[in-house]
């Protein structure tokens, strides 16, 4: 089984600012901010998680004691670098004022793995520049977008000029059961996969599945097929509550770098070899039981990125109060000379 060769130019066709202007009328309202400063890139690369000065929409008055302020100044003169992005703060606040709230991403990747930073009731909902920075700074996913080397890894041609971009998308509650990933090979819609890894009873209803397949295929043929230049790609879609329409969430390459979710690329390849595949309806795959191998367990997604390893170690065999006491004691020990 072979995959289409990807050039650097091919990869850039999947970055947000490349496809969004074409499909903005059927996607979530979004604003792209670029160019971004080298200092902002340095901030994302820097060690530790800290909020840039002036970004948290709080009064600038200091609450530190004189001794603490002296220590803070000492830090500034030492190894800890302080960051501030007043112009970017203004741009972000303007977008938030327009949309009400936003969720951020970079050229290709969103910080879904850092959703735990903000309230669980409103995952990824940012109402200040500080929220945006904290999500990006806490995410492992977005590091892919920070250098041309990682972005163009595996391409058949050398890197193209690459410019980091910050995307702010209008936030609203999303029912993840209606998120789907669709696979297109040689201009044929082969497969449709549930994106979320939870079991949903309604997705296993046959009439519902038939409606999903009909809607997705009709949406693709009407809105995407003739407007996307390359024959091979994947697209993510969010269906409306009545499963009659859709909104484009993202595009990705048809390649191993894109998660095939409930498919494998071997199974998709087999579908592409089916006789008269161009007139066959795409195959829909969903989590069909709570025992499905891909079904989410009770553990939260991306839990490895939620708390320090030391905290995981200390929590073993302890109740909440015992853990809190042990954590506090560990901090005190680490501060001893």
């Amino acid at each position: 089984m072979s995959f289409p060769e990807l050039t650097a130019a091919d990869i850039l066709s999947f970055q947000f600012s490349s496809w969004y202007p074409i499909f903005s009328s059927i996607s979530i309202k979004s604003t792209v901010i670029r160019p971004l400063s080298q200092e902002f890139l340095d901030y994302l690369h820097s060690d530790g998680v800290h909020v840039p000065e002036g970004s948290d929409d709080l009064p600038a008055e200091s609450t530190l004691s004189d001794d603490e302020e002296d220590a803070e100044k000492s830090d500034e003169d030492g190894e800890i670098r302080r960051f501030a992005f007043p112009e970017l703060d203004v741009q972000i606040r303007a977008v938030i004022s327009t949309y009400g709230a936003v969720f951020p991403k970079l050229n290709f990747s969103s910080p879904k793995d850092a959703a735990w930073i903000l309230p669980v009731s409103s995952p990824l909902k940012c109402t200040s520049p500080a929220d945006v920075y904290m999500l990006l700074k806490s995410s492992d996913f977005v590091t892919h977008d920070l250098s041309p080397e990682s972005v163009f890894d595996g391409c058949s041609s050398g890197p193209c000029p690459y410019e980091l971009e910050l995307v702010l998308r209008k936030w609203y509650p999303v029912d993840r059961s209606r998120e789907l990933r669709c696979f297109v090979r040689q201009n044929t819609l082969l497969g449709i996969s549930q994106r979320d890894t939870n079991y949903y009873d309604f997705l296993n209803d046959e009439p519902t599945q038939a409606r999903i397949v009909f809607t997705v295929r009709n949406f693709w043929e009407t809105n995407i097929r003739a407007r996307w230049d390359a024959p091979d790609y994947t697209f993510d879609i969010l269906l409306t509550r009545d499963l009659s329409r859709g909104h484009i969430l993202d595009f990705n390459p048809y390649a191993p770098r894109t998660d095939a979710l409930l498919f494998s690329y071997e199974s998709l390849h087999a579908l592409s070899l089916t006789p008269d595949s161009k007139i066959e309806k795409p195959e829909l795959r969903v989590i069909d039981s709570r025992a499905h191998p891909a079904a989410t367990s009770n553990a939260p997604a991306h839990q490895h990125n939620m708390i320090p390893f030391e905290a995981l170690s200390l929590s073993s065999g302890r109740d909440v109060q015992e853990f809190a006491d042990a954590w506090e004691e560990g901090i005190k020990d680490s501060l001893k000379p």
Side-chain angles (χ1 to χ4, degrees):
M1 181 183 64
S2 61
F3 291 92
E5 283 194 348
L6 292 172
T7 66
D10 292 331
I11 293 298
L12 288 181
S13 69
F14 290 98
Q15 71 177 343
F16 189 87
S17 61
S18 295
W19 65 260
Y20 180 73
I22 304 171
F23 299 101
S24 59
S25 63
I26 49 174
S27 188
I28 298 169
K29 290 182 179 179
S30 305
T31 298
V32 179
I33 297 177
R34 62 177 187 182
L36 298 171
S37 67
Q38 179 61 45
E39 186 180 19
F40 183 69
L41 185 59
D42 292 344
Y43 167 70
L44 295 180
H45 275 301
S46 64
D47 293 333
V49 178
H50 44 277
V51 177
E53 296 174 356
S55 65
D56 53 8
D57 293 343
L58 295 175
E61 294 181 15
S62 173
T63 59
L64 300 176
S65 67
D66 291 341
D67 289 343
E68 288 172 324
E69 285 184 340
D70 289 341
E72 189 83 359
K73 291 176 182 177
S74 176
D75 285 342
E76 291 176 356
D77 295 334
E79 296 181 358
I80 298 178
R81 179 177 175 183
R82 304 295 175 184
F83 293 90
F85 310 110
E87 293 182 5
L88 184 56
D89 291 347
V90 170
Q91 291 175 288
I92 294 174
R93 288 190 179 100
V95 178
I96 290 174
S97 177
T98 300
Y99 292 158
V102 299
F103 66 94
K105 65 174 293 179
L106 299 182
N107 305 50
F108 303 95
S109 308
S110 64
K112 293 186 296 183
D113 58 326
W116 60 274
I117 284 285
L118 300 178
V120 175
S121 59
S122 306
L124 302 176
K125 181 180 182 181
C126 297
T127 57
S128 72
D131 292 343
V132 172
Y133 300 144
M134 286 296 288
L135 273 179
L136 296 175
K137 196 72 179 70
S138 304
S139 171
D140 290 333
F141 287 1
V142 302
T143 57
H144 164 272
D145 296 11
L146 300 185
S147 70
E149 290 74 23
S150 57
V151 168
F152 301 122
D153 183 42
C155 290
S156 59
S157 64
C160 285
Y162 176 69
E163 182 179 52
L164 191 68
E165 59 193 33
L166 173 61
V167 180
L168 301 176
R169 313 201 73 182
K170 182 175 182 177
W171 186 93
Y172 61 92
V174 171
D175 183 349
R176 296 203 61 200
S177 68
R178 294 183 272 112
E179 287 185 294
L180 303 166
R181 175 160 294 172
C182 310
F183 301 86
V184 178
R185 179 80 162 108
Q186 293 299 309
N187 285 318
T188 300
L189 180 59
L190 298 176
I192 304 168
S193 173
Q194 176 183 335
R195 283 187 70 193
D196 188 33
T197 53
N198 284 292
Y199 169 75
Y200 298 99
D201 185 63
F202 84 96
L203 288 179
N204 289 274
D205 174 67
E206 288 189 12
T208 297
Q209 291 188 358
R211 184 171 182 80
I212 289 172
V213 171
F214 173 82
T215 296
V216 171
R217 178 163 185 145
N218 183 63
F219 181 89
W220 171 68
E221 290 180 339
T222 304
N223 298 292
I224 300 177
R225 188 175 190 176
R227 300 165 72 183
W228 189 269
D229 292 334
D232 308 296
Y233 54 94
T234 75
F235 65 94
D236 295 338
I237 184 175
L238 173 67
L239 296 183
T240 55
R241 190 176 299 276
D242 62 1
L243 305 180
S244 66
R245 294 172 294 111
H247 302 279
I248 293 175
L249 298 176
D250 207 359
F251 284 92
N252 287 289
Y254 184 96
R257 65 172 64 205
T258 301
D259 193 342
L261 299 178
L262 299 182
F263 289 92
S264 66
Y265 281 103
E266 289 77 12
S267 63
L268 290 167
H269 180 65
L271 288 174
S272 72
L273 300 178
T274 302
D276 300 321
S277 62
K278 291 186 183 299
I279 61 173
E280 291 289 330
K281 65 180 182 180
E283 180 179 333
L284 172 66
R285 292 192 180 183
V286 300
I287 302 288
D288 57 12
S289 75
R290 289 182 175 83
H292 191 287
T296 299
S297 65
N298 291 330
H302 316 303
Q303 62 174 332
H304 68 283
N305 200 40
M306 293 178 67
I307 55 178
F309 176 77
E310 292 83 354
L312 291 174
S313 301
L314 281 172
S315 65
S316 178
R318 293 182 166 95
D319 62 25
V320 173
Q321 186 57 52
E322 290 172 339
F323 167 70
D325 292 342
W327 183 249
E328 183 177 358
E329 189 64 32
I331 292 175
K332 290 179 179 177
D333 289 343
S334 69
L335 295 176
K336 291 179 180 177

